[in-house]
Amino acid sequence: MEKLIINTANAPTPIGPYNQAVKAGNTLFIAGQIPINPATGVLLNDDIVAETHQVMHNLRAILTEAGMDFNNVVKTTIFLNDIDLFTMVNEVYGKYFHGDFPARETVAVSKLPKNANVEISMIAVE
């Protein structure tokens, strides 16, 4: 099986030994994205609505680089540092999908990279 590494300057540079995404066959696995503005490198972490939009913009940039969009997404995982943020994150997240929603789980964790409040990963299929 051939793997294709996907990276774009329109999403944050990975902060560890991983790539933004890996395409294996017709399936794209996108690493968890936190609310870093790729143009400035600044982490947003004081407004969960703006943070969630930034995460979704980062994910969209990676999908676009791979020739896909949110319609290709089949599975997402949302990590929150506080489950009380769920309603606000869910409202923003839902605006990025039209028609069928992907499968998903949302989990609360004690801490995220760079002390982010939200992180989202995705799996998409051509």
Side-chain angles (χ1 to χ4, degrees):
M1 172 185 60
E2 183 179 335
K3 290 192 312 185
L4 176 64
I5 303 302
I6 306 290
N7 285 302
T8 175
N10 296 321
T13 302
I15 58 175
Y18 61 91
N19 289 292
Q20 292 169 340
V22 175
K23 187 175 178 189
N26 67 342
T27 305
L28 181 70
F29 299 89
I30 303 176
Q33 295 297 302
I34 59 176
I36 293 176
N37 180 322
T40 65
V42 173
L43 173 77
L44 303 176
N45 67 351
D46 60 355
D47 175 359
I48 194 61
V49 170
E51 293 168 50
T52 306
H53 278 295
Q54 184 63 61
V55 169
M56 297 303 286
H57 292 303
N58 295 344
L59 290 162
R60 178 186 297 153
I62 296 166
L63 286 165
T64 300
E65 184 70 19
M68 298 184 194
D69 61 30
F70 287 116
N71 291 320
N72 295 97
V73 177
V74 296
K75 173 79 168 54
T76 65
T77 302
I78 299 175
F79 301 95
L80 299 173
N81 72 347
D82 180 351
I83 200 64
D84 290 337
L85 300 173
F86 176 81
T87 301
M88 291 178 285
V89 169
N90 198 48
E91 184 176 321
V92 173
Y93 168 92
K95 293 177 181 179
Y96 288 83
F97 296 95
H98 306 287
D100 296 332
F101 291 99
R104 181 186 88 187
E105 67 264 335
T106 302
V107 294
V109 297
S110 63
K111 195 169 184 180
L112 289 167
K114 295 193 174 270
N115 293 316
N117 295 314
V118 60
E119 179 175 357
I120 301 175
S121 63
M122 292 183 162
I123 299 171
V125 178
E126 286 183 310

